[in-house]
Amino acid sequence: MEEFPEELRTPPVALACLIGCPEVHPLITAHLHSQQPPINAVALPDFSMIPPKKPPRDTLEPPAGIIKRDWFSKHRTRIPAVVAAIFSSRDVSGDPAQRLQVCNDLDKLKASIRGRNIKLGVLVVTKWNDKDNTSEERILALRKRAEIDSKNLIIFVPDHEPELQQCLSRLWTVLGELANTYYRDEGRRVRSRLEKKNYSSMELNVRYCFKVAIYAEFRRDWLEALKLYEDAYHALREMVGTSTRMPPIQRLVEIKAVAEQLHFNMSMILLHGGKVLEAITWFRQHTANYRKLVGAPEVIFLHWEWLSRQYMVFAQLLETSSPNALHVPSTAPVAEEKPTEWEFHPAYYYQLAASYLKEKNTCLEFAISMSVDVGSFDGSAESVVASAYLGQYSRLLEHEDAFIMQPLTDMEYAHYALAEGKRFKDSFEIIALLKKSFEAYSSSKAERTAAYCGLQMAREYFSLNDFSNAKQIFDSLANLYRREGWLLSLWEVLGYLRECSKGMSSAKDFIEYSLEMASLPETTGFSESFSKDCGPAGPATPSQREKIHKEAFEVARGESELNSDEQNSAFKVKSDYPIYLEIDVISPLRVTLLALVAFHQPMVKPGGQSLITISLRSQLPINVEIDQLEVQFNQSECNFIITNGQKPLSSTDIVQPGHRVETAPDLVLATNKWLRLTYDIKSDLSGKLECIYVIARVGPNFTICCRAESPALINDSPLWKFENRLETIPIKDPGLALSGQKAIQVEEPEPQVDLILHSSGPALVGESFILPVTVSSRGHAVHSGELKINLVDTRGGGLLSPRGEESFSSENIHVELVDISCDAPQDQSEAPSDKIQKIQPSFGLISVPSLDMGESWSCKLKIKWNHPKPIMLYVSLGYLPRSDEPSLQKVHVHKSLQIEGTTAVAINHRYMLPFRKDPLLLLKLKSISETDQTPYLALNEKTLLIISVKNCSEVPLRLLSMSIETEVKSDACTIQPQQEEFREAVVNMPGEEFKKVFTIIPKVKSTKLKIGNVSLRWERDSNATSSQVTKYRLPDVNVELPLLAVSLECPPHAFIGNPFLYSVKILNQTEILQEIKCSISDSQSFVLSGPHSDTMLVLPRSAQVLTYMLVPLGLGSLQLPRVTVASVRYSAGLLPSNASLLVFVYPTKPHVDLKPPGDA
Amino acid sequence: MASTACFMIVSKNDIPIYEAEVGTVPKKEDAAHQHQFILHAALDIVQDTAWTTSAMFLKAIDRFNDLVVSVYVTAGHILSFVMSDFIIHTRLMLLHDSRNEDGIKSFFQEVHELYIKASSVMFYNLI
């Protein structure tokens, strides 16, 4: 696009001319330029500088060309549409001489512009102060002299800002209108010639259309401009076959140059108006119109250059256009064929521009090679210049101090074009275009389209002998085509890569690419006749593959040199430069050589023999004879070599001493046929035996190292997926072919040592559980023995309690290994440094002393359960049966044991009030409805605490002592007894419950009073273990002062007919008088005396006793009359429980000796 | 009139499974191997376009000079074939220079029919 001048690339701007008063020019110019639409201005300081009138042109003369090269720039920069004559008010209203001068200047100006139809405006510059002094008459006279409308005369006041802005704005409007009128008139003038068909030749038709279009563009009438450009374009196209004005080659060049210009202008208008679809349709028509017009054969390259430029310029336009900058009405018809998606992308056009430029290059090279005498014209080529008309060239001759333009003949022009063509190298431009396109496609994630660009780019690099760049791109392309299985494309790219590696003297790459090409599947439908169209690889025919195969092996065997024509260097594979190819699972060379290895058994005993089958397959077109095969394992002692029975082992073959060598009858790889080799293999080492590599040696310096694969896991490459070929199985046994593995498990030797874990039932939480472990040898001696102990949670969780993970203390570990105690080794001579003992909470390691056959050794594991949790104990012993062979692998014995951890005792507690005593605790009453379960105790009142101990284990336990330990030594409460050692241990059988009563008298009023911990010491009844302590924390209690305390008093038993006293004592502990309502219900079993229902007042800090005399009438356990006590103040009443109202009535006084036996 | 045409069937994982030069005379400047490159490059646009329309025949979706790529996408991308999974989203591509759209469409339909018949044969392992 840069080859088009600036004025063509931007929308046209009207041109005005300012004459006179140069001091105001900058002001006006800047303003006109800043407006929208802007007006350019040419400033002439003086009226003396008005150019003279041009002599009239001879219209009968036939046109020398279609469009003058500078016509457009002339209108944009030199011929104004409007002239503004500027006079100062002093001159206008000055003395007669000054006025005369003004009139003369004006006349001169009018005379100059009259022929050209240029419009005139007049400015009178005045000072703000003199504004009113300027005579109206003089102004009128001036206007009449200038023959202009009154609105076209402006009084210009530069020294007053508001007035100045107004003047400038008016000036811009007036000049704009006048310019528009000028362009419209001019357009009409030329258009009338068109309408009357008043032109003598086709050239003039095109020229007139072009001019009218340009004038319309000046007026921003885009619709008309487009229409006229279109007319010009069509008229021009018709000229191709009809015009005879110039020699044919130059005629076509001129027509194409004009067509290019017209199309450029149209595209600009359409694209800036956002009419992308129309622009694309036009472009397609444009290229279709001219693509076939290649012209004379000797300058055919000019055509391709022109076409390439069309694409490139359009791409640039598409890239840079900002849509909707102009408002262009829709005109162009939408094509029947919709543009493809890519046609909206500049990348598409860049790519095609590059491909046409490539075409040009090819034609140019051909043209140069055909014309031997290009050089003879070289000297005079410099004198050829572009002539006045667009697309024309002529020779500039100096004749008697004057320059004459002499037309060229076609032959001269062709020579000139060839010489010009030779001067430029297009390859870099082609690469730059393709790179742009490649990047654009890549960024829009069109990988495959980008790949096609990449291919063209890489070809160009290749043609420039820039092999490293070419190879890089070709490599990435090969990856894509390989992945998607596009055979022919891959073949083509590999052919280039092969040549690149040749150019870079890289024998390894050359062989790799050659082998890959040779082993590609055959393509159908190709015959030798296409060979001239193919790349360096030639056609993808079987014979070509065989040729490539042979070449590769000749180079690999060192039989021929790798010649690089460009660098004139030769490379030969020899012992200094061996070739080593590695083929792994993802390598494209897998089809060249695939090595499958399968063991016949999945497992083998150490020292036992197993069969192994090595299957090799190649897709190379010709049979390959392998000199030697080496099979490598992860256990290097098992490696072995297979030699070719047809070839004697030469001195150059690498055979390491001590290695096993097998001989196969022949090692020939036929196309798509498995070469199966089966051998015995033996391993003494236990563990995994895996085949890693199968290394094939062909010739002295060529090695292919192929990673072994399992038949069970083989997957075919996409290239071969749909090929019509005979599928054979790699191993004769079909089962093995499907499931064979390249690795085998060598078992450990059978252990001859027993590991015994003595379990003694479940463990109890809190105790240190002792577990004896015995190692006893049956048939092996034990050397360097190690015992590993692992504690694992059976349910999969950790042994740490969740909250304990950050603070690692013994309390937070559910189960821990505390200690390992072992017998002293019998052999004292063992060095102490050999003893290992590591103990961690869940892991332990201890060394086992050397044991001879038949000996045994034991140790005790001490495991402590902090929380009830079942665990799995894993104990493994690793030892060497012989002490003299440290390289041997250890023998392992594993044992595991699940141990339950259970809670030994469950402790519970209960608070009870003393019999027939009820303190009134207000807070307790309130809290009944709430969820708070904290017990309430009465201050200074006795409360009973019952601790019950239940044996949850499966073994009898002996309880030794029980105590309540207060956390802080304080007098907050009194507990009796504090501690009790049982004189005889209480045997608590499984499931049994044992209860102990304590009394508590709280001394401090408090909420959340800490009572302390119950501490119970117990041991197993078997006496085998030491005593353990289980602790139980008593929950906090609320202590409250009872406001009232009611106690019922009556004898424990009564006798029928005998009266007894039944009293209700109400103690008021408050400082206020308490009103108490009291009532007693009647009972059939008793006759009672006393107040039946009463209200009484209890004085502060005093007690009131209600006494009843009861006579029992019945026998046995009788219910006493129910007494109800209610406090009026607290709305609280006491209903004594049924149990507290029972009394036993004897018929007579029993004759039981209640005295203790000792007292008798 | 001599015409160039290259026909290709591309499987759902972009691997060509059948190709044939079906034109009467291959043009001199359009080397036959070039056709694969052009058809391969057009796959990108097929990928995009196939999801924007329910039509199977995508008409001319890419152009390279005079050569046009027409594509027919089998219905697999809309319907799920349970029995013959391999018919899903197969693309029949034709690179041609003639503008006979109807002819190309009926050619594609005929090939599609034959292709379904061939690939529906039991035990015909195409994948």
Side-chain angles (χ1 to χ4, degrees):
Chain A
M1 199 163 82
E2 278 71 27
E3 52 262 41
F4 290 94
E6 164 72 22
E7 63 264 14
L8 288 177
R9 283 184 276 139
T10 50
V13 175
L15 186 71
C17 178
L18 310 175
I19 305 178
C21 289
E23 64 277 7
V24 293
H25 286 183
L27 201 65
I28 297 172
T29 316
H31 179 80
L32 291 179
H33 205 76
S34 67
Q35 294 301 298
Q36 200 57 38
I39 297 174
N40 282 342
V42 185
L44 297 179
D46 207 320
F47 283 87
S48 60
M49 295 176 82
I50 297 169
K53 201 181 166 190
K54 220 166 73 172
R57 198 170 31 201
D58 183 6
T59 48
L60 295 172
E61 194 182 312
I66 302 170
I67 297 170
K68 274 207 170 167
R69 208 179 279 275
D70 62 343
W71 187 84
F72 191 39
S73 73
K74 186 174 81 182
H75 275 269
R76 283 200 50 158
T77 56
R78 294 205 305 275
I79 299 182
V82 55
V83 175
I86 308 172
F87 302 102
S88 113
S89 64
R90 282 195 318 278
D91 296 340
V92 175
S93 52
D95 55 31
Q98 283 171 322
R99 287 209 307 273
L100 188 63
Q101 181 59 38
V102 168
C103 290
N104 283 343
D105 287 345
L106 205 53
D107 289 344
K108 194 176 163 195
L109 181 63
K110 273 167 65 186
S112 170
I113 65 175
R114 186 167 297 132
R116 290 180 176 136
N117 202 17
I118 295 170
K119 306 295 169 204
L120 178 66
V122 175
L123 249 76
V124 178
V125 181
T126 179
K127 292 261 166 60
W128 175 247
N129 300 334
D130 297 341
K131 194 181 170 226
D132 299 331
N133 299 342
T134 316
S135 152
E136 285 286 331
E137 280 175 24
R138 294 280 162 82
I139 297 292
L140 192 67
L142 185 67
R143 188 164 70 75
K144 278 189 176 161
R145 188 94 195 177
E147 295 171 56
I148 56 172
D149 287 347
S150 60
K151 65 173 182 178
N152 295 344
L153 193 146
I154 299 164
I155 309 292
F156 193 76
V157 188
D159 57 346
H160 185 260
E161 190 56 32
E163 188 68 24
L164 172 68
Q165 286 309 321
Q166 228 173 356
C167 296
L168 283 172
S169 162
R170 263 187 70 202
L171 178 63
W172 173 73
T173 318
V174 165
L175 290 185
E177 277 171 11
L178 287 174
N180 247 354
T181 318
Y182 168 78
Y183 292 123
R184 194 181 56 236
D185 291 352
E186 285 297 290
R188 263 187 207 149
R189 189 170 57 82
V190 184
R191 200 180 179 133
S192 68
R193 287 188 213 160
L194 273 176
E195 280 160 2
K196 289 176 194 158
K197 300 213 181 290
N198 188 12
Y199 44 81
S200 52
S201 63
M202 296 289 279
E203 283 86 350
L204 286 179
N205 185 11
V206 176
R207 186 189 295 173
Y208 291 159
C209 287
F210 178 75
K211 283 185 177 182
V212 179
I214 294 280
Y215 286 133
E217 272 203 74
F218 271 115
R219 283 185 289 120
R220 303 185 167 247
D221 184 351
W222 312 116
L223 188 63
E224 175 154 342
L226 264 182
K227 196 177 158 297
L228 268 299
Y229 279 134
E230 211 176 307
D231 290 349
Y233 186 86
H234 291 313
L236 186 72
R237 184 69 183 82
E238 279 169 26
M239 273 174 64
V240 172
T242 53
S243 170
T244 50
R245 182 174 40 84
M246 282 171 70
I249 292 179
Q250 292 181 68
R251 192 166 67 220
L252 195 59
V253 167
E254 186 188 7
I255 288 173
K256 280 183 187 169
V258 176
E260 181 179 359
Q261 177 70 68
L262 292 173
H263 179 260
F264 178 82
N265 285 10
M266 276 193 281
S267 299
M268 281 278 286
I269 294 175
L270 285 172
L271 285 174
H272 282 287
K275 309 279 175 206
V276 182
L277 185 64
E278 281 95 337
I280 289 170
T281 314
W282 256 112
F283 180 73
R284 203 197 279 171
Q285 279 179 13
H286 173 56
T287 48
N289 280 339
Y290 285 91
R291 181 173 295 128
K292 298 271 160 49
L293 287 178
V294 288
E298 60 267 34
V299 287
I300 222 165
F301 64 90
L302 285 179
H303 171 71
W304 297 120
E305 187 184 11
W306 179 86
L307 198 57
S308 162
R309 197 165 59 241
Q310 303 308 299
Y311 277 91
M312 190 181 69
V313 168
F314 191 71
Q316 286 168 345
L317 276 176
L318 210 55
E319 210 170 25
T320 52
S321 68
S322 53
N324 299 325
L326 310 174
H327 177 70
V328 183
S330 183
T331 52
V334 178
E336 319 94 54
E337 282 183 72
K338 263 173 59 184
T340 66
E341 195 183 318
W342 288 135
E343 288 186 66
F344 289 91
H345 290 258
Y348 174 81
Y349 300 95
Y350 281 128
Q351 186 187 1
L352 285 170
S355 85
Y356 286 121
L357 204 55
K358 176 79 189 157
E359 189 73 46
K360 174 228 162 176
N361 233 357
T362 317
C363 293
L364 179 66
E365 272 165 28
F366 179 73
I368 289 171
S369 66
M370 292 303 285
S371 67
V372 280
D373 56 341
V374 171
S376 65
F377 192 75
D378 270 359
S380 53
E382 289 161 13
S383 63
V384 174
V385 292
S387 72
Y389 285 92
L390 190 64
Q392 285 188 10
Y393 295 87
S394 48
R395 185 175 296 160
L396 193 68
L397 291 178
E398 199 175 344
H399 183 69
E400 292 173 1
D401 295 342
F403 289 104
I404 302 169
M405 299 288 249
Q406 190 191 41
L408 294 173
T409 63
D410 261 0
M411 187 180 264
E412 284 169 337
Y413 178 73
H415 278 190
Y416 160 74
L418 265 180
E420 280 292 294
K422 267 173 82 178
R423 279 173 53 200
F424 299 107
K425 276 275 175 203
D426 293 323
S427 286
F428 295 110
E429 200 171 334
I430 293 173
I431 289 170
L433 286 170
L434 287 169
K435 200 172 250 174
K436 257 186 185 177
S437 179
F438 177 80
E439 282 162 6
Y441 280 132
S442 301
S443 64
S444 55
K445 304 248 181 310
E447 189 190 10
R448 300 183 189 98
T449 321
Y452 186 46
C453 274
L455 176 82
Q456 290 172 308
M457 191 156 57
R459 271 186 193 153
E460 204 54 46
Y461 275 125
F462 181 78
S463 69
L464 286 176
N465 292 341
D466 183 351
F467 296 119
S468 65
N469 271 327
K471 185 171 177 296
Q472 199 184 345
I473 302 169
F474 278 131
D475 264 332
S476 66
L477 294 177
N479 273 338
L480 176 70
Y481 293 133
R482 214 178 269 142
R483 195 174 68 223
E484 301 195 339
W486 287 67
L487 262 185
L488 268 183
S489 311
L490 180 61
W491 169 273
E492 178 84 6
V493 170
L494 286 175
Y496 277 106
L497 278 169
R498 193 165 161 263
E499 294 303 313
C500 286
S501 49
K502 212 190 241 184
M504 293 162 84
S505 297
S506 168
K508 184 170 180 269
D509 286 345
F510 176 77
I511 293 170
E512 275 187 8
Y513 294 129
S514 302
L515 291 181
E516 189 184 349
M517 281 177 85
S519 22
L520 283 181
E522 275 186 35
T523 48
T524 48
F526 269 86
S527 60
E528 302 285 345
S529 62
F530 286 111
S531 59
K532 61 179 181 299
D533 298 326
C534 297
T541 54
S543 60
Q544 185 69 13
R545 288 169 66 218
E546 283 173 17
K547 188 175 153 232
I548 289 171
H549 171 104
K550 280 179 192 156
E551 277 175 20
F553 275 95
E554 276 167 13
V555 172
R557 288 201 181 96
E559 289 163 10
S560 69
E561 290 182 340
L562 186 66
N563 289 313
S564 161
D565 303 337
E566 290 77 14
Q567 297 180 4
N568 294 324
S569 61
F571 182 84
K572 191 171 179 180
V573 176
K574 46 193 173 190
S575 58
D576 298 345
Y577 305 104
I579 296 289
Y580 183 86
L581 297 187
E582 195 162 336
I583 302 174
D584 57 14
V585 191
I586 52 163
S587 164
L589 288 178
R590 265 179 91 225
V591 285
T592 305
L593 183 62
L594 176 67
L596 298 184
V597 176
F599 282 97
H600 289 220
Q601 291 96 13
M603 289 183 103
V604 70
K605 295 244 182 274
Q609 286 199 329
S610 165
L611 284 176
I612 184 172
T613 297
I614 299 137
S615 310
L616 300 174
R617 189 184 67 183
S618 166
Q619 299 290 1
L620 287 171
I622 311 176
N623 292 356
V624 179
E625 189 163 15
I626 297 170
D627 297 348
Q628 194 190 72
L629 268 181
E630 186 178 348
V631 188
Q632 287 191 350
F633 295 88
N634 61 341
Q635 297 178 9
S636 60
E637 309 83 58
C638 298
N639 292 358
F640 66 97
I641 287 168
I642 307 165
T643 56
N644 190 343
Q646 305 290 324
K647 289 192 172 184
L649 205 63
S650 67
S651 57
T652 51
D653 288 338
I654 311 147
V655 178
Q656 287 175 9
H659 270 200
R660 181 178 154 199
V661 178
E662 298 280 350
T663 306
D666 62 346
L667 289 174
V668 177
L669 282 174
T671 312
N672 194 27
K673 210 171 165 193
W674 290 101
L675 171 66
R676 305 185 183 107
L677 303 160
T678 305
Y679 292 98
D680 277 338
I681 191 108
K682 193 173 96 176
S683 169
D684 290 326
L685 284 180
S686 61
K688 196 180 183 188
L689 174 66
E690 185 181 3
C691 182
I692 309 278
Y693 292 112
V694 175
I695 298 165
R697 295 199 174 86
V698 183
N701 302 310
F702 181 46
T703 310
I704 305 174
C705 176
C706 200
R707 191 171 268 275
E709 291 181 47
S710 300
L713 302 172
I714 186 173
N715 54 341
D716 244 338
S717 92
L719 285 174
W720 285 93
K721 215 173 221 172
F722 301 111
E723 289 308 312
N724 194 10
R725 59 169 170 160
L726 186 65
E727 283 283 350
T728 49
I729 51 171
I731 302 162
K732 275 181 186 156
D733 176 6
L736 205 58
L738 287 172
S739 63
Q741 295 287 346
K742 60 172 178 171
I744 193 170
Q745 199 66 35
V746 183
E747 292 175 359
E748 285 187 353
E750 197 72 34
Q752 299 285 321
V753 173
D754 283 340
L755 185 64
I756 306 150
L757 305 180
H758 305 276
S759 164
S760 59
L764 302 178
V765 172
E767 70 171 353
S768 291
F769 187 72
I770 305 287
L771 190 101
V773 178
T774 308
V775 176
S776 82
S777 149
R778 276 189 286 124
H780 275 166
V782 176
H783 295 282
S784 312
E786 275 182 2
L787 201 64
K788 284 182 192 164
I789 300 119
N790 272 297
L791 302 185
V792 180
D793 186 357
T794 46
R795 283 197 283 269
L799 288 176
L800 278 178
S801 66
R803 63 190 152 81
E805 280 175 21
E806 60 277 1
S807 59
F808 193 78
S809 72
S810 64
E811 272 301 299
N812 295 327
I813 303 168
H814 293 308
V815 185
E816 59 180 323
L817 179 66
V818 180
D819 191 23
I820 304 171
S821 56
C822 52
D823 299 346
Q826 289 167 1
D827 185 8
Q828 292 296 331
S829 62
E830 199 171 347
S833 62
D834 288 352
K835 285 187 198 164
I836 312 161
Q837 184 159 1
K838 267 190 204 165
I839 297 175
Q840 284 171 7
S842 61
F843 172 75
L845 178 69
I846 185 167
S847 62
V848 177
S850 295
L851 300 175
D852 286 335
M853 224 178 284
E855 284 183 347
S856 68
W857 172 87
S858 69
C859 67
K860 282 178 180 170
L861 311 180
K862 195 189 273 186
I863 305 166
K864 190 172 181 191
W865 265 259
N866 292 318
H867 296 96
K869 200 171 185 71
I871 60 141
M872 198 59 133
L873 173 72
Y874 290 97
V875 180
S876 64
L877 171 72
Y879 69 94
L880 291 173
R882 285 197 295 269
S883 61
D884 51 342
E885 279 184 56
S887 64
L888 269 181
Q889 276 193 319
K890 280 192 169 181
V891 184
H892 289 96
V893 194
H894 305 281
K895 271 284 158 68
S896 65
L897 179 68
Q898 183 169 357
I899 310 171
E900 295 287 330
T902 55
T903 316
V905 288
I907 302 177
N908 264 315
H909 76 281
R910 195 149 65 91
Y911 289 100
M912 280 181 75
L913 290 170
F915 197 53
R916 289 176 179 160
K917 272 197 171 178
D918 285 293
L920 173 64
L921 301 175
L922 275 182
L923 285 176
K924 187 180 179 181
L925 289 179
K926 278 185 199 162
S927 70
I928 282 172
S929 58
E930 293 167 16
T931 51
D932 186 15
Q933 295 297 316
T934 321
Y936 285 84
L937 304 187
L939 184 69
N940 294 328
E941 294 284 334
K942 191 191 278 179
T943 307
L944 302 179
L945 170 64
I946 299 157
I947 305 288
S948 61
V949 176
K950 189 178 178 185
N951 183 354
C952 303
S953 71
E954 292 164 2
V955 290
L957 301 176
R958 281 143 61 100
L959 311 183
L960 302 176
S961 73
M962 195 189 279
S963 62
I964 295 181
E965 297 159 354
T966 44
E967 283 182 359
V968 190
K969 286 283 174 197
S970 71
D971 300 329
C973 64
T974 320
I975 299 170
Q976 285 298 329
Q978 193 81 32
Q979 181 173 8
E980 181 157 335
E981 294 281 341
F982 303 122
R983 267 178 294 167
E984 274 183 42
V986 179
V987 178
N988 199 356
M989 297 308 282
E992 261 186 7
E993 207 169 1
F994 168 80
K995 286 184 181 165
K996 169 92 185 99
V997 180
F998 295 85
T999 58
I1000 294 179
I1001 304 170
K1003 298 287 188 189
V1004 179
K1005 186 182 166 190
S1006 134
T1007 53
K1008 310 273 179 206
L1009 176 69
K1010 285 188 170 53
I1011 302 291
N1013 292 318
V1014 176
S1015 174
L1016 173 74
R1017 203 152 58 79
W1018 55 270
E1019 62 182 22
R1020 280 184 187 235
D1021 198 25
S1022 58
N1023 232 349
T1025 53
S1026 57
S1027 65
Q1028 309 298 330
V1029 173
T1030 302
K1031 297 209 169 183
Y1032 173 77
R1033 190 176 177 278
L1034 289 168
D1036 300 342
V1037 294
N1038 293 327
V1039 179
E1040 191 191 346
L1041 177 73
L1043 304 171
L1044 297 169
V1046 179
S1047 52
L1048 300 176
E1049 283 172 19
C1050 87
H1053 51 87
F1055 306 101
I1056 192 162
N1058 283 0
F1060 65 93
L1061 277 179
Y1062 174 40
S1063 60
V1064 179
K1065 186 181 172 189
I1066 300 153
L1067 176 68
N1068 177 8
Q1069 301 203 59
T1070 59
E1071 300 291 336
I1072 43 179
L1073 196 68
Q1074 295 287 353
E1075 187 183 354
I1076 303 293
K1077 278 186 179 169
C1078 212
S1079 67
I1080 189 162
S1081 61
D1082 288 326
S1083 169
Q1084 290 181 341
S1085 311
F1086 295 95
V1087 176
L1088 72 92
S1089 75
H1092 210 265
S1093 174
D1094 195 10
T1095 303
M1096 58 186 176
L1097 294 170
V1098 187
L1099 295 175
R1101 295 216 171 270
S1102 67
Q1104 183 85 26
V1105 181
L1106 270 174
T1107 312
Y1108 298 93
M1109 182 64 84
L1110 299 183
V1111 183
L1113 298 178
L1115 280 177
S1117 189
L1118 296 179
Q1119 196 84 32
L1120 287 168
R1122 184 172 292 274
V1123 178
T1124 315
V1125 182
S1127 157
V1128 175
R1129 175 179 290 271
Y1130 303 116
S1131 306
L1134 172 72
L1135 270 175
S1137 64
N1138 287 342
S1140 64
L1141 291 177
L1142 278 178
V1143 69
F1144 196 84
V1145 181
Y1146 290 97
T1148 55
K1149 206 168 193 175
H1151 296 283
V1152 183
D1153 190 3
L1154 292 171
K1155 285 180 185 169
D1159 294 355
Chain B
M1 184 187 142
S3 67
T4 310
C6 176
F7 174 64
M8 202 169 242
I9 302 179
V10 182
S11 79
K12 65 171 179 181
N13 35 13
D14 303 328
I15 302 176
I17 51 180
Y18 176 79
E19 58 179 299
E21 289 290 330
V22 288
T24 46
V25 182
K27 280 188 180 175
K28 191 184 153 205
E29 68 268 27
D30 298 321
H33 58 260
Q34 203 75 339
H35 296 167
Q36 264 214 7
F37 286 115
I38 296 169
L39 284 173
H40 182 257
L43 273 181
D44 276 327
I45 218 159
V46 177
Q47 227 165 35
D48 293 347
T49 320
W51 297 100
T52 58
T53 170
S54 60
M56 294 166 104
F57 180 47
L58 301 185
K59 297 183 184 167
I61 54 138
D62 202 4
R63 259 190 201 88
F64 192 82
N65 294 346
D66 286 340
L67 295 173
V68 180
V69 181
S70 289
V71 177
Y72 188 89
V73 184
T74 66
H77 72 289
I78 303 163
L79 300 170
S80 155
F81 281 71
V82 180
M83 264 183 65
S84 43
D85 180 52
F86 42 85
I87 310 180
I88 289 177
H89 202 52
T90 303
R91 282 143 293 177
L92 315 178
M93 304 178 84
L94 186 71
L95 182 74
H96 55 95
D97 55 3
S98 70
R99 294 283 189 272
N100 183 1
E101 203 170 88
D102 290 337
I104 289 165
K105 190 176 180 180
S106 58
F107 167 74
F108 274 141
Q109 279 166 342
E110 215 166 302
V111 172
H112 186 205
E113 206 169 302
L114 289 171
Y115 178 68
I116 290 176
K117 274 183 193 164
S119 52
S120 301
V121 176
M122 290 279 273
F123 312 119
Y124 187 87
N125 187 11
L126 209 62
I127 295 291

